[in-house]
Amino acid sequence: MEALLHLIWQQRLYTTLSPTPHDTWRRLEVIDPGLYNTDAGPDFLNAKIRIDNMLWCGDIEIHQSSQEWYRHKHQHNPLYQSVILHIVVEQGAPTYDIRGRLIPSCRIVYPEELEQRALYLVHHSQELPCAPLTDMLTKIEKHDWYEELLRHRLERRLEELQKYLEQHQSDRLEALYMLLMRYFGFGLNNDAMERLARNLPLRYLLKHRDHLLQLEALLLGQAGLLKQLPKDDYVETLRKEHQFLAHKYQLTQPLPSSTFRLTRTRPASFPTKRLIQIANIIHQHDFLSDLCLEVDSERALERLFGIELRHHYRASLASWSRIGGLSKASVRMLGVNVVVPYQYLVAMLDSRPELRERSSQLLKSLVAEDNRPIRLFARAGLTATNASESQALLELYKMYCQRRKCLFCRFGRAKMCVSSRPSSSL
């Protein structure tokens, strides 16, 4: 378990560092364990150690067995010629780099309890085996960890947006439309809504922005959902409009109606209702991308997504749907997953730091999400006070807890370090 060895070296949790039979040195002092490397190359970079009376500056490589150096072919890799110390648990053959230089090696010894703790964290059946988390980190440490988690989450959103930009020749409005459509699936239908956005480009919707009925006809028709609606005069009008517009623009075939998941979907989240809400947003707001950049509070979000539906939904469509506007929770969710990443993207592309600050303040002004992972952390002693913190915790849950990367998590590392014995060197 190399992750455990990395933690032990970085936090100096070992008990001894002793020379292997192939080494002639007698004393090793660790001045700086180096920076953990997440890219290709040695495990730790720019370390400082003193072997006997000589100061060494360079990189550190750590393996369970010395044979892994050769198994991974490091002896042929120029990235490893800067290694100044090879650390192993099981000593064996001497270590040589690409130039034939003998690299100093040492055998690391650590308390057995550390391995037991690591196995407990990684293999325990509980979702949060590190709980309780209260007072595990200081206030500053927790704030720094939240900031890093949030940054990673936003960077993944940026990758998503940049992918859309590449697919649409750097058209920011089309990229925003793709993101908006995806997250209008509200989890269960995210992929289906994205497929619909690819099937129905925004440029066709914008041609009919002033005609709500035509917007609904295009969205519901290309989604393949018109056949699922009860037959009445209004639905028949939608069907005819879609048929005419699909022929006019030579649109691809509508999606199969089975694309959208209806089981386990709450009535408020039925795809038909969500598409009518999207039609109203496009109808009621011109320059949607500019409006997203101006959002700086929950009230501004509600102005953007707090749509007013026309009277005919209470009349001719009352038989199949009581369509209302978006709930406050849904508006906040769109703010977190659509508006904030878009502001972050434009801030990066146009070098506008004030937009990045605005997106940060917007997250902090929104109420924390209420979902299963957030409630799980609350029971473990971590209560999110705003959307910024809840987004950080969701990133923690998805990228660390579910993947059992406990030894890479600062809470897990703190759990490992509790009452561990101090290190010593030979």
Side-chain angles (χ1 to χ4, degrees), residues 3 9 70 107 114 159 225 254 264 286 296-297 310 318 323 349 377 419:
W9 169 256
Y70 297 101
R107 180 173 180 267
L114 291 176
E159 290 176 2
L225 295 176
R264 294 176 48 230
D286 200 359
D296 59 359
S297 65
R310 303 306 183 193
I323 301 172
L349 294 178
F377 280 118
S419 301

Side-chain angles (χ1 to χ4, degrees), residues 143-195:
H143 175 269
D144 289 345
W145 185 217
Y146 279 9
E147 288 290 308
E148 183 176 335
L149 288 166
L150 181 61
R151 187 178 70 255
H152 289 164
R153 191 167 182 84
L154 285 174
E155 286 172 353
R156 289 197 297 109
R157 288 283 187 272
L158 275 183
E159 290 176 2
E160 198 171 30
L161 263 170
Q162 288 173 323
K163 178 186 68 176
Y164 294 150
L165 276 175
E166 292 172 3
Q167 294 167 351
H168 293 90
Q169 293 73 52
S170 299
D171 188 326
R172 296 183 186 182
L173 188 54
E174 284 284 0
L176 175 61
Y177 166 66
M178 293 290 296
L179 194 69
L180 177 64
M181 288 289 284
R182 176 171 181 80
Y183 286 99
F184 240 96
F186 289 91
L188 202 60
N189 280 305
N190 281 12
D191 292 340
M193 293 293 274
E194 183 174 331
R195 282 187 62 187

Side-chain angles (χ1 to χ4, degrees), residues 137-413:
L137 300 176
T138 66
K139 188 175 181 179
I140 294 177
E141 289 172 335
K142 187 169 72 171
H143 175 269
D144 289 345
W145 185 217
Y146 279 9
E147 288 290 308
E148 183 176 335
L149 288 166
L150 181 61
R151 187 178 70 255
H152 289 164
R153 191 167 182 84
L154 285 174
E155 286 172 353
R156 289 197 297 109
R157 288 283 187 272
L158 275 183
E159 290 176 2
E160 198 171 30
L161 263 170
Q162 288 173 323
K163 178 186 68 176
Y164 294 150
L165 276 175
E166 292 172 3
Q167 294 167 351
H168 293 90
Q169 293 73 52
S170 299
D171 188 326
R172 296 183 186 182
L173 188 54
E174 284 284 0
L176 175 61
Y177 166 66
M178 293 290 296
L179 194 69
L180 177 64
M181 288 289 284
R182 176 171 181 80
Y183 286 99
F184 240 96
F186 289 91
L188 202 60
N189 280 305
N190 281 12
D191 292 340
M193 293 293 274
E194 183 174 331
R195 282 187 62 187
L196 175 58
R198 296 184 189 282
N199 184 279
L200 180 61
L202 178 63
R203 62 180 179 273
Y204 296 125
L205 294 172
L206 293 180
K207 290 177 183 290
H208 300 274
R209 197 186 72 80
D210 294 333
H211 302 281
L212 182 58
L213 183 143
Q214 293 173 338
L215 291 175
E216 293 167 356
L218 283 168
L219 286 163
L220 291 169
Q222 286 303 111
L225 295 176
L226 283 175
K227 294 180 180 179
Q228 294 189 359
L229 302 181
K231 294 182 179 179
D232 62 16
D233 292 342
Y234 188 73
V235 173
E236 181 62 21
T237 302
L238 289 176
R239 188 187 66 78
K240 290 179 179 179
E241 281 291 332
H242 171 254
Q243 190 176 36
F244 169 76
L245 294 171
H247 177 75
K248 177 181 179 180
Y249 295 120
Q250 296 296 296
L251 298 178
T252 57
Q253 286 294 316
L255 300 178
S257 57
S258 59
T259 302
F260 293 87
R261 299 172 63 179
L262 300 179
T263 55
R264 294 176 48 230
T265 302
R266 295 179 299 172
S269 295
F270 280 168
T272 48
K273 297 184 179 183
R274 293 306 188 196
L275 292 176
I276 286 175
Q277 290 166 342
I278 290 173
N280 275 266
I281 289 173
I282 295 173
H283 176 65
Q284 294 178 27
H285 295 302
D286 200 359
F287 307 110
L288 186 61
S289 60
D290 292 342
L291 293 174
C292 284
L293 297 181
E294 295 171 3
V295 172
D296 59 359
S297 65
E298 185 167 352
R299 180 171 295 182
L301 268 179
E302 290 174 352
R303 287 197 297 269
L304 181 61
F305 295 121
I307 53 178
E308 295 180 6
L309 298 177
R310 303 306 183 193
H311 64 85
H312 62 251
Y313 298 117
R314 294 191 296 271
S316 62
L317 296 186
S319 60
W320 59 271
S321 179
R322 300 174 67 184
I323 301 172
L326 292 164
S327 67
K328 287 189 175 183
S330 296
V331 168
R332 288 195 293 268
M333 195 281 285
L334 292 173
V336 167
N337 291 297
V338 179
V339 174
V340 167
Y342 187 68
Q343 290 181 345
Y344 206 78
L345 173 74
V346 176
M348 180 190 70
L349 294 178
D350 295 348
S351 299
R352 295 176 59 183
E354 79 280 0
L355 265 182
R356 180 172 296 188
E357 179 62 24
R358 184 177 300 166
S359 66
S360 175
Q361 291 304 317
L362 176 58
L363 277 177
K364 292 175 182 177
S365 72
L366 298 177
V367 177
E369 292 104 314
D370 180 20
N371 50 42
R372 185 176 173 278
I374 298 304
R375 292 192 292 271
L376 188 67
F377 280 118
R379 289 194 294 271
L382 292 179
T383 301
T385 59
N386 54 50
S388 179
E389 292 186 357
S390 61
Q391 282 290 293
L393 290 177
L394 288 173
E395 181 74 1
L396 176 62
Y397 182 75
K398 180 176 181 178
M399 303 306 292
Y400 292 84
C401 302
Q402 286 190 317
R403 302 183 183 196
R404 285 302 194 210
K405 296 182 69 173
C406 304
L407 299 182
F408 296 90
C409 167
R410 295 191 192 181
F411 289 109
R413 287 176 168 238

